[in-house]
Amino acid sequence: MTALAVEAPTAPEWSGRLVVRAAGRPMLHIAGEGVTAPAMPVFTLPLECAPDAEQAPGVRPWDGPVTESAVCPACLRALRGEPEPEKPRIVPAGIAEKLPVPAPAPDPHGRHLRAVSDPVTYTEAPLPAEHGGHPITWSRWTLAPVITHHDPSCEWCGDAGPGEMAGGRQGHPASTAVPFRRFIAYRCTACQEMTAYVQVGSDLQTVAHHKSRAPKDCNR
């Protein structure tokens, strides 16, 4: 019986072709063009997926319904002129291969996950190299002490802090040519807002200010 007896509208790929079933296998095959069912109940004949009859499996005519999902995929590809699927690439033993990065697992609580970009960094605030025509020697930046009842957060970006401080000096106590002065600088490690002061008696006077390029209140 031909594939004209189907449970759905006849597909043009196998219309008028002999449909057969391999012995012991549920998959249906499409016989080669012009092939008719011989008198013997079990036979070997050229198929679309195996055009060489000597290499083809033993089959018998199929008289049941024919749907595309029941037909051998290789027969369908041959009828449609589609290429064979790409075979898996075999990686030799001992050669490392980069594995694909798996997608993040869904949140068990049903929340929507989103990628968080790396925090923005800003160029380190430069300390003034001189004041009053004389060079300043600065110490390294160290963590600023937290003073009781004083908010250590940055007034510009709102970073919780504490920031860092550095001490500077100029001249020598015994020098008459270059007066001895002490300096102090504070900076925010997040946005690099920085102010340097010179100590005058018990007061601090601003000698340099490095304006931050971060958006206002970006870290609040």
Side-chain angles (χ1 to χ4, degrees), residues 36-80:
T36 58
M40 296 184 64
V42 178
F43 54 92
T44 302
L45 48 77
L47 306 174
E48 284 293 337
C49 62
D52 186 355
E54 294 183 0
Q55 301 296 326
V59 296
R60 66 176 64 199
W62 172 253
D63 57 2
V66 181
T67 58
E68 185 172 318
S69 60
V71 178
C72 165
C75 286
L76 290 178
R77 286 195 297 269
L79 284 172
R80 297 168 179 171

Side-chain angles (χ1 to χ4, degrees), residues 70-99:
V71 178
C72 165
C75 286
L76 290 178
R77 286 195 297 269
L79 284 172
R80 297 168 179 171
E82 298 174 351
E84 291 291 325
E86 184 178 353
K87 295 182 179 180
R89 183 169 58 90
I90 299 176
V91 179
I95 298 179
E97 185 176 18
K98 186 177 181 180
L99 299 176

Side-chain angles (χ1 to χ4, degrees), residues 145-173:
V146 178
I147 303 175
T148 306
H149 305 303
H150 174 74
D151 184 6
S153 62
C154 176
E155 295 181 356
W156 176 256
C157 74
D159 183 76
E164 292 183 330
M165 62 178 293
R169 61 182 180 83
Q170 185 183 74
H172 191 274

Side-chain angles (χ1 to χ4, degrees), residues 132-148:
H134 301 289
I136 303 174
T137 302
W138 291 96
S139 66
R140 293 182 177 181
W141 289 106
T142 57
L143 188 67
V146 178
I147 303 175
T148 306

Side-chain angles (χ1 to χ4, degrees), residues 7-25:
E7 61 183 16
T10 302
E13 289 86 352
W14 62 76
S15 177
R17 296 291 190 91
L18 178 68
V19 178
V20 295
R21 180 175 181 177
R25 301 177 185 177

